[in-house]
Amino acid sequence: MFVEEGHAVREGQVLARLDPTQPNAALAYAEAQLAAARKATAEDVARLHEAQATLARQQQLFGDRIIGRAELDAVEANVQALQARIAFATEQVSVADAQVQQRRADVADTVVRAPFSGIAVSRDAQPGEMISPVSAGGGFTRTGICTIVDMASLEIEVDVNEGFINRVREKQPVEAVLDAYPDWRIPAHVIAVVPTADRQKATVKVRIGFTRLDPRILPDMGVKVSFLGEAVADPARTDKPRIVMPKSAARADAGRTVVFVIHGAEVERRAVTLGAESGSQIEVLSGLADGERVVTDGPATLKDGDRISEA
C-alpha cells in the first residue's frame, strides 16, 4: 500500500501492488504455449517445402509417362494437407499470442493506479488481505483498495417534495448552509432535476452545484438548501424593497390565501398574494403594507374582528 488517508493523489499514481505470483506463472505458461505453437508451424513449413519439391519431380515423371496418375495425386494430396495444417497452426499461434496478451494484462492489473486526481478519504485494505471486485469471499475479502474523492466535483443532492418540484428549474439560484457552519451562506445553483420520482417518499431528486468550491466543504456533510426566486426583471422595481412575512401567518380560506392583520386589540382578515419562499419567510406581492403586524400563531377559529391579547 502506497497511500494514506488524507493524502492527495494524482491520476495514474500507484496506490498498491497485488501479489503477482499467480499472474506471472500464468503468463510464463502462455508464453511457453506460444513458443511451442511457433516451432510446430516452422516444422510444418519445412515439410511443405520438401513436399512441394517432391511434387515438382513427380509432375516431371508423370509428364514423361514414368509414373501413373495415382502416384501424382498422392503427392498433391500430401501438399494440400500440409498447407491446411500450416493454416491451422497459424491460427493456433494467433490464439496463443492473444492468451499471452491477456496474461500480460493480468500482470499489469496487479499494479493499482489512481483513475483520477483527488484526495484519499479512506484506506480500505492492508498488506496480506484478499482483494476481490465482488464480495463473494465474505467478510475476510476486501472489495477495494481505498476511496478517492474528486474534490472539484462536489455537489449537493436533495429530495424535493413532488408537490413543489414545479417551482424548481435548471440554473435556479440556491443558498446552501452547512450544518457545520450555520452562519455561512454558500451560493449555489440547480444543475438538474432528475426526471424520476421516489414513489415511497413522494420526492424528486435535485442536483445542486456550488458556485465556488471551498476547502471547508467536505463529502457527506449535512446541508440545508433554500431555492431562491428569480431576480426582478422590471427596472422600475429594482429599488423597491420586498415585503416578507413568516410563512406561518398565511392561511387558506375558501380557496384564497389570507392573513390576520393586527389593529390595536382586534384583527382584520385580509386576502394577500404571495411570491417566492426563502427558508421560513415568504414574499408578499400584494395585500400588506410595510410595517403592518400579522398573527403568526393563533387558533384555527380566528375570524375578522376578533379581539386578541399578545403574549
Side-chain angles (χ1 to χ4, degrees), residues 130-146:
M130 299 291 293
I131 298 294
S132 172
V134 295
S135 58
F140 297 101
T141 301
R142 301 292 183 178
T143 56
I145 297 295
C146 66

Side-chain angles (χ1 to χ4, degrees), residues 154-159 174-182 184-188 206 208-210 216-227:
L154 292 180
E155 62 182 44
I156 304 171
E157 288 187 354
V158 296
D159 292 329
V174 175
E175 188 176 76
V177 178
L178 297 174
D179 292 348
Y181 305 97
W184 179 29
R185 302 187 179 278
I186 308 170
V206 177
I208 298 172
F210 294 101
R216 291 174 289 179
I217 304 174
L218 302 177
D220 295 328
M221 271 187 162
V223 61
K224 297 180 178 65
V225 299
S226 299
F227 296 90

